[in-house]
């Protein structure tokens, strides 16, 4: 009887590794209608079979301020800064929303899932977090504004100007490759949802739960927080796993110091950190299961916006994942010359597009 009910419940789920995970993690289920979800297997199965956004070419969905300005008539601008910031200056025709209200507001107003939407925040980081969740929820044409209002107009640029800096441990960053951990056979546990009557309900309810200011704050970490985990005695980050979620160019970044006797090189990534490919490494069938379930996971990209997309996904699955706030801009901006990267923040790139009060 147990197997008959399980087969009925799983008839719509995919085969292979995802199905294997689902059966092993949910073997105690008695009644499909009264499922108490206790693992992220359902989330993995649902998202990988409904667009697989995280592993698609659409990730990350970041739009430049130039494209946003030149095509503003094609988009609904949703500004998720606090009201005082919004009132101090905002993009014309944009509307101010609390991050918690985004999905409810879109659904209440029957906004089409394919409608063009741009999420605006102070630095672009919170917008990246919200956009990742909206994409996984089903909104297929939503984007986060690159660098947020800081690049739109110089009035708001200080948030990025002040973020530029270097890690306390930049001088122990290394240039060699570190292998990914060996694949495990476990995934995180997540809190059940007794109100969900289907996997889709469960996943969408969880996405709504994570679309909040508090959950966003839990998804980011300052470089000082990660630096505090480094043990010079053991040459590793205690109880932590660090990975680069960007191109090889960032991971391999090395600076040659000619004015030191003898000349030396330093770079390019935190000691023991690995490189993960955004397009292939986070499927259940590839390298998702190389991530530890019992450590804090720190990811970084050039400016932290891209890595927030994967951090959002991992937190949805139950991992204790965090993105380094402002990414490598706050880690290696001066000492390892990240300021030479196009994706780092430069005053010359501030557009001073119009704002209204």
């Amino acid at each position: 009887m147990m197997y008959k009910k399980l087969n009925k419940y799983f008839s719509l789920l995919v085969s292979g590794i995802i199905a294997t995970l689902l059966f092993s993690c949910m073997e105690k289920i008695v009644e499909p209608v009264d499922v108490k979800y206790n693992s992220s297997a359902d989330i993995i199965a649902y998202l990988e079979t409904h667009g697989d956004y995280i592993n698609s070419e659409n990730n990350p969905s970041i739009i430049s301020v130039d494209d946003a300005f030149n095509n503003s008539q094609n988009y609904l601008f949703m500004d998720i800064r606090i009201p005082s910031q919004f009132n101090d200056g905002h993009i014309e025709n944009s509307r101010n929303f609390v991050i918690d209200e985004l999905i409810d507001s879109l659904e209440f107003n029957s906004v089409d899932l394919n409608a063009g939407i741009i999420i605006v925040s102070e630095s672009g980081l919170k917008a990246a977090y919200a956009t990742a969740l909206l994409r996984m929820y089903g909104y297929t044409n939503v984007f986060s504004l690159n660098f947020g209002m800081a690049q739109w107009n110089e009035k708001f640029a200080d948030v990025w100007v002040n973020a530029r800096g270097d890690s306390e441990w930049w001088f122990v960053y290394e240039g060699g490759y570190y292998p990914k951990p060996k694949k495990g056979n476990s995934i995180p546990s997540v809190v059940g949802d007794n109100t969900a009557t289907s996997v889709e309900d469960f996943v969408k309810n969880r996405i709504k739960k994570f679309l909040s200011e508090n959950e966003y704050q839990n998804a980011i970490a300052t470089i000082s927080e990660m630096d505090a985990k480094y043990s010079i005695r053991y040459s590793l980050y205690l109880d932590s796993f660090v990975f680069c979620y960007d191109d090889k160019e960032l991971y391999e970044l090395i600076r040659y110091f000619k004015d030191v006797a003898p000349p030396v090189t330093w770079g390019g990534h935190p000691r023991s950190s690995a490189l993960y490919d955004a397009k292939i490494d986070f499927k259940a069938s590839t390298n998702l299961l190389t991530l530890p379930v019992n450590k804090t996971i720190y990811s970084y990209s050039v400016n932290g916006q891209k890595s927030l997309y994967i951090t959002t996904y991992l937190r949805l699955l139950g991992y204790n994942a965090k993105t380094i706030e402002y990414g490598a801009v706050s880690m290696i901006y001066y000492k390892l010359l990240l300021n030479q990267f196009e994706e780092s923040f430069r005053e010359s790139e501030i557009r001073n597009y119009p704002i209204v009060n």
Side-chain angles (χ1 to χ4, degrees):
M1 185 66 179
M2 169 76 78
Y3 287 102
K4 182 177 179 181
K5 292 177 180 177
L6 281 173
N7 286 333
K8 178 181 177 182
Y9 180 74
F10 287 118
S11 61
L12 298 179
L13 295 181
V14 295
S15 59
I17 184 170
I18 296 176
T20 301
L21 284 171
L22 288 169
F23 278 109
S24 63
C25 295
M26 304 177 71
E27 61 184 2
K28 296 182 179 179
I29 296 172
V30 177
E31 293 292 340
V33 176
D34 297 325
V35 170
K36 292 186 178 181
Y37 302 92
N38 59 3
S39 84
S40 56
D42 295 285
I43 307 172
I44 297 169
Y46 179 83
L47 293 177
E48 286 199 3
T49 55
H50 287 76
D52 198 15
Y53 169 71
I54 287 299
N55 299 297
S56 75
E57 291 297 322
N58 294 319
N59 173 32
S61 303
I62 301 174
I63 190 170
S64 70
V65 293
D66 292 335
D67 286 343
F69 177 75
N70 293 328
N71 299 283
S72 60
Q73 69 279 4
N74 298 327
Y75 293 98
L76 167 66
F77 287 80
M78 304 183 77
D79 191 319
I80 56 174
R81 293 176 298 160
I82 61 176
S84 60
Q85 292 174 320
F86 181 81
N87 293 333
D88 195 34
H90 55 267
I91 299 170
E92 188 173 11
N93 296 323
S94 62
R95 297 182 59 188
N96 194 205
F97 294 89
V98 177
I99 187 173
D100 309 55
E101 300 173 348
L102 283 177
I103 290 178
D104 288 341
S105 297
L106 289 168
E107 292 184 332
F108 178 79
N109 290 286
S110 300
V111 175
D112 190 277
L113 290 172
N114 298 313
I117 300 169
I118 295 177
I119 307 299
V120 180
S121 63
E122 182 183 22
S123 65
L125 295 173
K126 190 193 296 186
Y129 176 85
T131 299
L133 289 170
L134 289 172
R135 282 275 183 166
M136 288 185 280
Y137 193 84
Y139 289 93
T140 61
N141 198 24
V142 57
F143 300 87
S144 58
L145 186 65
N146 195 33
F147 290 113
M149 290 300 293
Q151 192 171 44
W152 186 274
N153 190 284
E154 65 179 351
K155 182 176 183 178
F156 307 104
D158 281 355
V159 63
W160 273 105
V161 171
N162 296 334
R164 299 180 298 197
D166 297 303
S167 164
E168 176 185 354
W169 301 106
W170 70 269
F171 57 89
V172 298
Y173 282 18
E174 298 179 338
Y177 271 72
Y178 283 92
K180 299 177 181 66
K182 293 182 179 179
K183 285 187 180 180
N185 57 4
S186 60
I187 50 180
S189 296
V190 297
V191 177
D193 183 354
N194 292 332
T195 66
T197 57
S198 67
V199 173
E200 180 177 10
D201 283 345
F202 166 56
V203 174
K204 290 194 169 183
N205 287 348
R206 187 164 174 83
I207 289 174
K208 285 184 176 182
K209 172 188 173 184
F210 274 74
L211 198 61
S212 74
E213 180 68 31
N214 185 59
E215 291 293 346
Y216 164 68
Q217 293 297 333
N218 290 335
I220 58 174
T222 63
I223 184 57
S224 296
E225 177 183 322
M226 192 180 87
D227 280 347
K229 297 291 189 75
Y230 185 73
S231 168
I232 196 166
R233 177 180 179 181
Y234 297 105
S235 298
L236 53 78
Y237 292 85
L238 299 176
D239 302 317
S240 306
F241 177 68
V242 183
F243 71 87
C244 176
Y245 185 71
D246 216 307
D247 299 328
K248 289 196 303 181
E249 186 181 9
L250 175 62
Y251 186 73
E252 296 173 344
L253 182 63
I254 296 176
R255 182 180 178 187
Y256 181 60
F257 288 82
K258 295 181 292 185
D259 54 347
V260 177
V264 297
T265 59
W266 269 304
H269 47 265
R271 184 166 289 177
S272 77
S273 62
L275 175 65
Y276 280 73
D277 189 313
K279 298 298 185 290
I280 63 174
D281 276 331
F282 290 93
K283 287 180 175 289
S285 58
T286 57
N287 290 309
L288 177 64
L289 298 186
T290 63
L291 298 177
V293 298
N294 59 347
K295 294 182 178 181
T296 301
I297 299 172
Y298 294 101
S299 66
Y300 71 95
S301 56
V302 170
N303 53 41
Q305 294 174 101
K306 180 178 180 179
S307 54
L308 254 170
Y309 279 80
I310 191 60
T311 291
T312 304
Y313 177 65
L314 295 178
R315 291 190 66 84
L316 202 63
L317 301 185
Y319 290 93
N320 183 25
K322 296 175 180 286
T323 278
I324 299 303
E325 190 176 24
Y326 309 115
V329 168
S330 68
M331 298 166 65
I332 52 176
Y333 192 82
Y334 298 110
K335 293 294 192 302
L336 296 180
L337 303 182
L338 186 79
N339 54 354
Q340 297 181 1
F341 276 53
E342 290 296 329
E343 298 87 351
S344 60
F345 189 79
R346 301 173 180 173
E347 284 92 334
S348 61
E349 298 298 316
I350 299 171
R351 291 294 188 255
N352 281 324
Y353 286 138
I355 56 176
V356 296
N357 298 100

